[in-house]
Amino acid sequence: MTDTTPAPGSVALITGGTGGFGRALARKLRALGVTVVLTDLDGERNRQVADDLGCEFVPLDVTDRAANRAVVAEIEERHGRLDAAYLNAGISAAKSDDVLDMDEFMKVVNVDLFGVVYGVEAARPAIKRAGGGAIVVTASLAGLSPMATDPGYSVAKGGAIAFVRSMAPRLAAEGTTITAICPGFADTAIIDRIRDQFQQAGFPVLSAEEVADAMVMAWTSGQPGAAYVIQPGVGTVPYKFKGVPSAKTASGETAVVPEALRPPSMR
Ligand SMILES: NC(=O)c1ccc[n+]([C@@H]2O[C@H](COP(=O)([O-])OP(=O)(O)OC[C@H]3O[C@@H](n4cnc5c(N)ncnc54)[C@H](O)[C@@H]3O)[C@@H](O)[C@H]2O)c1
C-alpha cells in the first residue's frame, strides 16, 4: 500500500469507537471523506458521541463472536462495502494489586485478544470482497514490554500482536494489510485512574490525535504484520523484532523450513 489517503468512497469500521482513540480517529477519517461506522457498547452516551461526530452508530460488544459478523453484514448491506476495520476496543484491569485475579484476567483477555480475533474473522471476507484493504489492531506497548501491574493486559496485547503477525501473510495474499498499533500511555479515559501520577512524575503521555495519525498511516501505508510503536518525543516507528535462532542441520547449516510450516499462500 503506497497511497497516503484512503480511496474516495471508502468505508471504515471502528470498534470501541466512542473512546478516546476512536473519536480522534473518526474525526480524521471523516475529514478524509471516509464513511465511518462507530461501534461500541450500547448506551445513550455512545450513541450521542457518534451522532456528534456525524458517524453512524452500531452497538457491538466485541466479545460476542456472532455479533461481530452481524455488524459487518449490516455495514455491507447498508454501504455496499467495508475497506478498513479498526479493532480498537479495549479495557485494562480495574485494579492493580499483587493478587492474580482470574476473573479480571479473563475479562481483559476476552475483550483485548478475543475481541480482535472475532473482529478479524468477521471483517476479513468483507474487506476481501471490497478488493482488499486494511485491518488495524490497537495493541499496546504493553504487548511488547511486560506490564507488571496488569499481566492480563500484557498477555492480551502480546497475543494480539502475535495474531497480527501470524495472520499477515494470508491476508496480504488477498490484498488486506493487517498491522498492530502499539502506543505508550496516552491521554484517554483508560488512564483516568493513574493520570495524576503521570502529572506528578512529569511523565509525558501521548495525545489521542498522535495515535490517530498513526492509525490512519497504518491503513494507507502500513506494512503487513508491522507493529508500530508510538512514544512521546519519538513518534511512530515500526518495532524491530529480533527473531529467533534458526535450527541447524547436523552439518551446521541453517535448516530449511518444511513446506507444511508455511501457509498455503507462501508455498
Ligand atoms: N490510552 C492509552 O494509554 C492506551 C495505550 C495503549 C493502548 N491503548 C488501547 O487503545 C484502545 C482504545 O482505548 P482508549 O485509550 O481510547 O480508551 P477508552 O477507554 O477511551 O476507549 C476504549 C473503548 O472501548 C470500549 N469497550 C470496552 N469494552 C468493550 C467491549 N466489550 N466491546 C466493545 N467496546 C468496548 C469502551 O466503551 C471505550 O469506548 C484500547 O484497546 C486500549 O487498550 C490505550
Side-chain angles (χ1 to χ4, degrees):
M1 300 179 103
T2 50
D3 288 349
T4 49
T5 53
S10 296
V11 179
L13 150 77
I14 309 176
T15 70
T18 67
F21 292 170
R23 294 195 306 273
L25 175 64
R27 275 189 211 101
K28 288 186 193 290
L29 294 180
R30 291 269 297 139
L32 292 169
V34 175
T35 297
V36 179
V37 179
L38 288 192
T39 71
D40 208 308
L41 299 175
D42 202 4
E44 198 41 52
R45 179 257 173 204
N46 290 352
R47 287 175 183 276
Q48 189 60 52
V49 166
D51 203 42
D52 292 346
L53 288 164
C55 298
E56 194 179 311
F57 180 78
V58 183
L60 172 65
D61 179 337
V62 296
T63 64
D64 182 338
R65 184 178 169 197
N68 278 274
R69 291 198 297 251
V71 165
V72 169
E74 195 178 325
I75 293 172
E76 266 194 310
E77 199 182 305
R78 204 168 298 168
H79 300 286
R81 59 190 299 121
L82 177 66
D83 300 278
Y86 282 95
L87 306 177
N88 167 72
I91 57 170
S92 56
K95 52 185 173 13
S96 53
D97 51 30
D98 279 347
V99 178
L100 182 60
D101 180 333
M102 281 313 294
D103 289 340
E104 197 68 20
F105 189 101
M106 295 306 290
K107 207 169 136 189
V108 172
V109 171
N110 262 327
V111 177
D112 295 13
L113 177 54
F114 285 102
V116 166
V117 176
Y118 300 150
V120 170
E121 183 197 31
R124 178 185 179 184
I127 296 176
K128 185 180 176 193
R129 278 190 288 277
I135 300 178
V136 181
V137 171
T138 311
S140 169
L141 208 57
L144 296 168
S145 172
M147 189 158 184
T149 51
D150 195 346
Y153 191 73
S154 261
V155 164
K157 297 299 190 179
I161 294 166
F163 181 64
V164 163
R165 298 178 73 209
S166 307
M167 289 297 289
R170 71 185 74 185
L171 286 169
E174 53 195 50
T176 299
T177 301
I178 186 167
T179 52
I181 294 289
C182 305
F185 290 108
D187 192 9
T188 70
I190 214 167
I191 68 158
D192 278 352
R193 275 186 317 119
I194 48 176
R195 180 174 290 103
D196 286 356
Q197 295 185 36
F198 286 116
Q199 276 161 3
Q200 280 160 24
F203 191 94
V205 295
L206 295 161
S207 69
E209 284 66 33
E210 286 173 277
V211 177
D213 281 334
M215 294 165 107
V216 174
M217 177 283 296
W219 177 2
T220 57
S221 52
Q223 296 303 306
Y228 294 103
V229 168
I230 310 144
Q231 278 279 57
V234 176
T236 300
V237 286
Y239 184 73
K240 284 196 177 62
F241 291 91
K242 204 169 163 225
V244 293
S246 299
K248 301 284 181 199
T249 62
S251 56
E253 280 148 28
T254 299
V256 178
V257 174
E259 202 157 84
L261 293 182
R262 283 182 245 143
S265 53
M266 291 182 73
R267 285 177 203 160

